[in-house]
PDB file of all heavy atoms in Angstrom:
ATOM      1  N   ASN A  43    -174.404  -2.140 -52.141  1.00 50.00           N
ATOM      2  CA  ASN A  43    -175.107  -3.094 -51.277  1.00 50.00           C
ATOM      3  C   ASN A  43    -174.142  -3.951 -50.455  1.00 50.00           C
ATOM      4  O   ASN A  43    -174.534  -4.533 -49.457  1.00 50.00           O
ATOM      5  CB  ASN A  43    -176.006  -3.993 -52.130  1.00 50.00           C
ATOM      6  CG  ASN A  43    -177.159  -3.193 -52.725  1.00 50.00           C
ATOM      7  OD1 ASN A  43    -177.607  -2.194 -52.124  1.00 50.00           O
ATOM      8  ND2 ASN A  43    -177.646  -3.660 -53.892  1.00 50.00           N
ATOM      9  N   SER A  57    -166.685  -9.563 -15.925  1.00 71.00           N
ATOM     10  CA  SER A  57    -165.243  -9.411 -16.132  1.00 71.00           C
ATOM     11  C   SER A  57    -164.541 -10.736 -16.419  1.00 71.00           C
ATOM     12  O   SER A  57    -163.448 -10.744 -16.965  1.00 71.00           O
ATOM     13  CB  SER A  57    -164.644  -8.737 -14.886  1.00 71.00           C
ATOM     14  OG  SER A  57    -164.920  -9.497 -13.716  1.00 71.00           O
ATOM     15  N   HIS A  58    -165.135 -11.835 -15.980  1.00 64.00           N
ATOM     16  CA  HIS A  58    -164.512 -13.140 -16.207  1.00 64.00           C
ATOM     17  C   HIS A  58    -164.889 -13.759 -17.553  1.00 64.00           C
ATOM     18  O   HIS A  58    -164.353 -14.787 -17.904  1.00 64.00           O
ATOM     19  CB  HIS A  58    -164.906 -14.131 -15.099  1.00 64.00           C
ATOM     20  CG  HIS A  58    -166.345 -14.494 -15.124  1.00 64.00           C
ATOM     21  ND1 HIS A  58    -167.322 -13.708 -14.479  1.00 64.00           N
ATOM     22  CD2 HIS A  58    -167.007 -15.481 -15.712  1.00 64.00           C
ATOM     23  CE1 HIS A  58    -168.506 -14.266 -14.647  1.00 64.00           C
ATOM     24  NE2 HIS A  58    -168.379 -15.345 -15.401  1.00 64.00           N
ATOM     25  N   ARG A 102    -176.061 -15.306 -57.499  1.00 75.00           N
ATOM     26  CA  ARG A 102    -174.986 -15.799 -56.597  1.00 75.00           C
ATOM     27  C   ARG A 102    -174.833 -14.800 -55.446  1.00 75.00           C
ATOM     28  O   ARG A 102    -174.606 -13.606 -55.673  1.00 75.00           O
ATOM     29  CB  ARG A 102    -173.684 -15.935 -57.366  1.00 75.00           C
ATOM     30  CG  ARG A 102    -172.539 -16.539 -56.538  1.00 75.00           C
ATOM     31  CD  ARG A 102    -171.262 -16.532 -57.361  1.00 75.00           C
ATOM     32  NE  ARG A 102    -171.407 -17.362 -58.556  1.00 75.00           N
ATOM     33  CZ  ARG A 102    -171.128 -18.659 -58.599  1.00 75.00           C
ATOM     34  NH1 ARG A 102    -170.694 -19.297 -57.505  1.00 75.00           N
ATOM     35  NH2 ARG A 102    -171.269 -19.349 -59.734  1.00 75.00           N
ATOM     36  N   LEU A 127    -161.537  -2.879 -43.538  1.00 87.00           N
ATOM     37  CA  LEU A 127    -161.334  -3.962 -44.500  1.00 87.00           C
ATOM     38  C   LEU A 127    -161.223  -3.336 -45.862  1.00 87.00           C
ATOM     39  O   LEU A 127    -162.200  -2.970 -46.527  1.00 87.00           O
ATOM     40  CB  LEU A 127    -162.504  -4.960 -44.475  1.00 87.00           C
ATOM     41  CG  LEU A 127    -162.413  -6.104 -45.461  1.00 87.00           C
ATOM     42  CD1 LEU A 127    -161.244  -7.008 -45.147  1.00 87.00           C
ATOM     43  CD2 LEU A 127    -163.728  -6.933 -45.482  1.00 87.00           C
ATOM     44  N   ILE A 137    -169.900  -1.682 -25.475  1.00 91.00           N
ATOM     45  CA  ILE A 137    -170.228  -2.777 -24.573  1.00 91.00           C
ATOM     46  C   ILE A 137    -169.976  -2.325 -23.131  1.00 91.00           C
ATOM     47  O   ILE A 137    -169.255  -1.301 -22.901  1.00 91.00           O
ATOM     48  CB  ILE A 137    -169.398  -4.072 -24.834  1.00 91.00           C
ATOM     49  CG1 ILE A 137    -167.920  -3.790 -24.554  1.00 91.00           C
ATOM     50  CG2 ILE A 137    -169.635  -4.532 -26.294  1.00 91.00           C
ATOM     51  CD1 ILE A 137    -167.082  -5.040 -24.580  1.00 91.00           C
ATOM     52  N   THR A 138    -170.544  -3.067 -22.185  1.00 90.00           N
ATOM     53  CA  THR A 138    -170.377  -2.760 -20.773  1.00 90.00           C
ATOM     54  C   THR A 138    -169.786  -3.982 -20.077  1.00 90.00           C
ATOM     55  O   THR A 138    -170.304  -5.079 -20.209  1.00 90.00           O
ATOM     56  CB  THR A 138    -171.731  -2.389 -20.112  1.00 90.00           C
ATOM     57  OG1 THR A 138    -172.304  -1.254 -20.802  1.00 90.00           O
ATOM     58  CG2 THR A 138    -171.533  -2.089 -18.656  1.00 90.00           C
ATOM     59  N   SER A 164    -147.940  -5.331   5.457  1.00 95.00           N
ATOM     60  CA  SER A 164    -146.840  -4.453   5.805  1.00 95.00           C
ATOM     61  C   SER A 164    -145.669  -5.337   6.328  1.00 95.00           C
ATOM     62  O   SER A 164    -145.830  -6.073   7.294  1.00 95.00           O
ATOM     63  CB  SER A 164    -147.231  -3.453   6.908  1.00 95.00           C
ATOM     64  OG  SER A 164    -146.152  -2.638   7.310  1.00 95.00           O
ATOM     65  N   PRO A 251    -170.562 -33.486 -26.217  1.00 50.00           N
ATOM     66  CA  PRO A 251    -170.565 -34.562 -25.185  1.00 50.00           C
ATOM     67  C   PRO A 251    -169.205 -35.235 -24.984  1.00 50.00           C
ATOM     68  O   PRO A 251    -169.024 -35.903 -24.033  1.00 50.00           O
ATOM     69  CB  PRO A 251    -171.616 -35.539 -25.727  1.00 50.00           C
ATOM     70  CG  PRO A 251    -171.535 -35.417 -27.205  1.00 50.00           C
ATOM     71  CD  PRO A 251    -171.245 -33.982 -27.504  1.00 50.00           C
ATOM     72  N   LEU A 288    -131.086  -9.809   9.140  1.00 95.00           N
ATOM     73  CA  LEU A 288    -131.662 -11.126   9.050  1.00 95.00           C
ATOM     74  C   LEU A 288    -133.084 -11.133   9.565  1.00 95.00           C
ATOM     75  O   LEU A 288    -133.320 -11.461  10.742  1.00 95.00           O
ATOM     76  CB  LEU A 288    -130.827 -12.187   9.824  1.00 95.00           C
ATOM     77  CG  LEU A 288    -129.369 -12.398   9.338  1.00 95.00           C
ATOM     78  CD1 LEU A 288    -128.670 -13.335  10.285  1.00 95.00           C
ATOM     79  CD2 LEU A 288    -129.306 -12.869   7.922  1.00 95.00           C
ATOM     80  N   ILE A 295    -129.902 -22.419  16.183  1.00 95.00           N
ATOM     81  CA  ILE A 295    -128.443 -22.763  15.981  1.00 95.00           C
ATOM     82  C   ILE A 295    -128.145 -23.990  16.810  1.00 95.00           C
ATOM     83  O   ILE A 295    -128.524 -24.071  17.989  1.00 95.00           O
ATOM     84  CB  ILE A 295    -127.577 -21.553  16.344  1.00 95.00           C
ATOM     85  CG1 ILE A 295    -126.126 -21.853  16.128  1.00 95.00           C
ATOM     86  CG2 ILE A 295    -127.836 -21.070  17.751  1.00 95.00           C
ATOM     87  CD1 ILE A 295    -125.217 -20.671  16.228  1.00 95.00           C
ATOM     88  N   ASN A 355    -145.253 -23.215   3.805  1.00 86.00           N
ATOM     89  CA  ASN A 355    -145.164 -22.101   4.768  1.00 86.00           C
ATOM     90  C   ASN A 355    -144.068 -21.137   4.407  1.00 86.00           C
ATOM     91  O   ASN A 355    -143.948 -20.078   5.047  1.00 86.00           O
ATOM     92  CB  ASN A 355    -144.978 -22.622   6.204  1.00 86.00           C
ATOM     93  CG  ASN A 355    -146.129 -23.462   6.702  1.00 86.00           C
ATOM     94  OD1 ASN A 355    -147.294 -23.174   6.335  1.00 86.00           O
ATOM     95  ND2 ASN A 355    -145.876 -24.489   7.414  1.00 86.00           N
ATOM     96  N   GLN A 358    -137.012 -22.288   3.997  1.00 93.00           N
ATOM     97  CA  GLN A 358    -136.122 -22.399   5.132  1.00 93.00           C
ATOM     98  C   GLN A 358    -134.684 -22.559   4.654  1.00 93.00           C
ATOM     99  O   GLN A 358    -134.353 -23.494   3.927  1.00 93.00           O
ATOM    100  CB  GLN A 358    -136.486 -23.639   6.006  1.00 93.00           C
ATOM    101  CG  GLN A 358    -135.624 -23.749   7.234  1.00 93.00           C
ATOM    102  CD  GLN A 358    -135.826 -25.049   8.017  1.00 93.00           C
ATOM    103  OE1 GLN A 358    -135.469 -26.106   7.577  1.00 93.00           O
ATOM    104  NE2 GLN A 358    -136.466 -24.931   9.192  1.00 93.00           N
ATOM    105  N   PHE A 385    -133.498 -10.710  13.470  1.00 96.00           N
ATOM    106  CA  PHE A 385    -134.745  -9.964  13.791  1.00 96.00           C
ATOM    107  C   PHE A 385    -135.950 -10.853  13.706  1.00 96.00           C
ATOM    108  O   PHE A 385    -136.195 -11.462  12.642  1.00 96.00           O
ATOM    109  CB  PHE A 385    -134.892  -8.747  12.832  1.00 96.00           C
ATOM    110  CG  PHE A 385    -136.012  -7.837  13.211  1.00 96.00           C
ATOM    111  CD1 PHE A 385    -135.846  -6.882  14.222  1.00 96.00           C
ATOM    112  CD2 PHE A 385    -137.225  -7.930  12.560  1.00 96.00           C
ATOM    113  CE1 PHE A 385    -136.925  -6.061  14.579  1.00 96.00           C
ATOM    114  CE2 PHE A 385    -138.295  -7.076  12.878  1.00 96.00           C
ATOM    115  CZ  PHE A 385    -138.116  -6.134  13.892  1.00 96.00           C
ATOM    116  N   ALA A 479     -74.590 -26.669  10.384  1.00 43.00           N
ATOM    117  CA  ALA A 479     -75.995 -27.093  10.189  1.00 43.00           C
ATOM    118  C   ALA A 479     -76.942 -25.968  10.469  1.00 43.00           C
ATOM    119  O   ALA A 479     -77.923 -25.737   9.741  1.00 43.00           O
ATOM    120  CB  ALA A 479     -76.289 -28.300  11.108  1.00 43.00           C
ATOM    121  N   GLU A 498    -102.740 -20.133   7.729  1.00 78.00           N
ATOM    122  CA  GLU A 498    -102.942 -18.982   6.799  1.00 78.00           C
ATOM    123  C   GLU A 498    -102.771 -19.434   5.380  1.00 78.00           C
ATOM    124  O   GLU A 498    -103.505 -19.045   4.488  1.00 78.00           O
ATOM    125  CB  GLU A 498    -101.944 -17.876   7.167  1.00 78.00           C
ATOM    126  CG  GLU A 498    -102.148 -16.602   6.399  1.00 78.00           C
ATOM    127  CD  GLU A 498    -101.364 -16.637   5.076  1.00 78.00           C
ATOM    128  OE1 GLU A 498    -100.382 -17.380   4.964  1.00 78.00           O
ATOM    129  OE2 GLU A 498    -101.758 -15.855   4.164  1.00 78.00           O
ATOM    130  N   SER A 507    -109.116 -21.093  -4.622  1.00 84.00           N
ATOM    131  CA  SER A 507    -109.971 -22.082  -5.235  1.00 84.00           C
ATOM    132  C   SER A 507    -111.392 -21.557  -5.415  1.00 84.00           C
ATOM    133  O   SER A 507    -112.024 -21.782  -6.443  1.00 84.00           O
ATOM    134  CB  SER A 507    -109.967 -23.341  -4.374  1.00 84.00           C
ATOM    135  OG  SER A 507    -110.850 -24.313  -4.933  1.00 84.00           O
ATOM    136  N   LEU A 534    -112.377 -11.068  15.063  1.00 62.00           N
ATOM    137  CA  LEU A 534    -113.141 -10.386  14.049  1.00 62.00           C
ATOM    138  C   LEU A 534    -114.445 -11.135  13.806  1.00 62.00           C
ATOM    139  O   LEU A 534    -114.416 -12.301  13.513  1.00 62.00           O
ATOM    140  CB  LEU A 534    -112.369 -10.256  12.766  1.00 62.00           C
ATOM    141  CG  LEU A 534    -111.059  -9.463  12.856  1.00 62.00           C
ATOM    142  CD1 LEU A 534    -110.299  -9.479  11.520  1.00 62.00           C
ATOM    143  CD2 LEU A 534    -111.300  -8.036  13.269  1.00 62.00           C
ATOM    144  N   THR A 535    -115.594 -10.480  13.967  1.00 55.00           N
ATOM    145  CA  THR A 535    -116.868 -11.138  13.943  1.00 55.00           C
ATOM    146  C   THR A 535    -117.681 -10.933  12.684  1.00 55.00           C
ATOM    147  O   THR A 535    -118.724 -11.570  12.528  1.00 55.00           O
ATOM    148  CB  THR A 535    -117.744 -10.660  15.122  1.00 55.00           C
ATOM    149  OG1 THR A 535    -117.882  -9.221  15.035  1.00 55.00           O
ATOM    150  CG2 THR A 535    -117.055 -11.022  16.456  1.00 55.00           C
ATOM    151  N   ALA A 563    -131.171 -10.071  -9.728  1.00 49.00           N
ATOM    152  CA  ALA A 563    -131.990 -11.012 -10.501  1.00 49.00           C
ATOM    153  C   ALA A 563    -131.161 -11.628 -11.665  1.00 49.00           C
ATOM    154  O   ALA A 563    -131.257 -12.826 -11.923  1.00 49.00           O
ATOM    155  CB  ALA A 563    -133.219 -10.340 -11.065  1.00 49.00           C
TER     156      ALA A 563
END
Side-chain angles (χ1 to χ4, degrees):
N43 292 331
S57 58
H58 66 274
R102 184 184 298 270
L127 177 65
I137 65 170
T138 301
S164 178
L288 299 176
I295 181 170
N355 297 324
Q358 184 186 72
F385 186 80
E498 186 272 339
S507 176
L534 299 176
T535 59

